[in-house]
Amino acid sequence: MLAAESMELAPEKLENEILSNKYAIKQIPFWFFEKIEDNSYNLVTATNALNELNTSAIIYMLANSNRVLQKNGYVYIRDSGKLKPGRHLIDYDRVLIEHMGFELIHWLNVQNRVDMYAVPRIYKKVKNVELTFGELFDLLINRETTLSQGLDFAQNL
């Protein structure tokens, strides 16, 4: 297993490790997604991450997860299952289904922070929908929108 964040390698050496075929499982930070070949993986996970990201980072993660994931591959998400009020504009669970060609395979029926911490769910990529970061951003937000200090201050110019 390659745990890319913990290797403490120079960026070019880390890139070589990420792109190598030496590992069956790779834990790769999403800022390396652009280096990964299209349709090259069958599983992408986001564990306690997406509801901590800002709007642009969520869109970046969704677009690149979709790009690197093979058809019939899976996205596993585990977080609170709720958007943070005043902070999140992107309902990534809905976006996967409505805009990106995924279907919900399973959403574990548990109460977050009562039964367990973070709600697991898994989506399957059933259609190849090609959307770049820019295209997905325009579809969900609109490039003319300015965000600062959370969504309570969103402005459409």
Side-chain angles (χ1 to χ4, degrees):
M1 178 175 152
L2 170 67
E5 281 190 283
S6 63
M7 294 187 70
E8 298 180 12
L9 296 175
E12 60 279 352
K13 288 185 179 183
L14 181 55
E15 182 178 333
N16 290 336
E17 290 296 310
I18 288 170
L19 298 176
S20 78
N21 291 322
K22 295 193 303 190
Y23 307 95
I25 298 172
K26 297 178 184 180
Q27 179 182 330
I28 303 169
F30 76 87
W31 52 88
F32 275 98
F33 268 162
E34 292 178 2
K35 307 283 186 190
I36 299 171
E37 228 178 280
D38 294 358
N39 306 306
S40 58
Y41 284 86
N42 54 24
L43 175 66
V44 172
T45 67
T47 305
N48 296 317
L50 289 177
N51 63 353
E52 300 300 327
L53 298 177
N54 69 28
T55 300
S56 293
I58 290 170
I59 295 170
Y60 180 87
M61 169 66 176
L62 289 172
N64 280 287
S65 293
N66 183 52
R67 181 185 62 76
V68 304
L69 198 61
Q70 301 166 354
K71 186 175 179 191
N72 297 316
Y74 296 92
V75 170
Y76 171 84
I77 298 173
R78 184 170 176 182
D79 61 26
S80 68
K82 295 180 182 178
L83 301 178
K84 291 182 178 176
R87 177 155 176 217
H88 288 130
L89 184 60
I90 305 301
D91 182 344
Y92 38 87
D93 291 291
R94 185 182 56 77
V95 170
L96 286 167
I97 294 168
E98 293 180 10
H99 300 291
M100 302 185 77
F102 286 79
E103 69 178 32
L104 177 64
I105 299 300
H106 187 72
W107 186 300
L108 190 61
N109 187 20
V110 294
Q111 189 174 1
N112 186 41
R113 296 185 181 178
V114 174
D115 301 318
M116 66 187 306
Y117 183 78
V119 180
R121 58 246 192 228
I122 192 159
Y123 295 88
K124 183 176 183 179
K125 183 178 181 178
V126 293
K127 289 187 253 179
N128 280 328
V129 176
E130 293 183 23
L131 286 169
T132 65
F133 167 77
E135 291 166 337
L136 188 57
F137 190 93
D138 285 343
L139 178 68
L140 300 174
I141 302 293
N142 185 320
R143 202 171 294 272
E144 301 300 319
T145 301
T146 302
L147 301 174
S148 68
Q149 303 300 320
L151 297 173
D152 292 336
F153 299 98
Q155 300 174 2
N156 198 343
L157 303 174

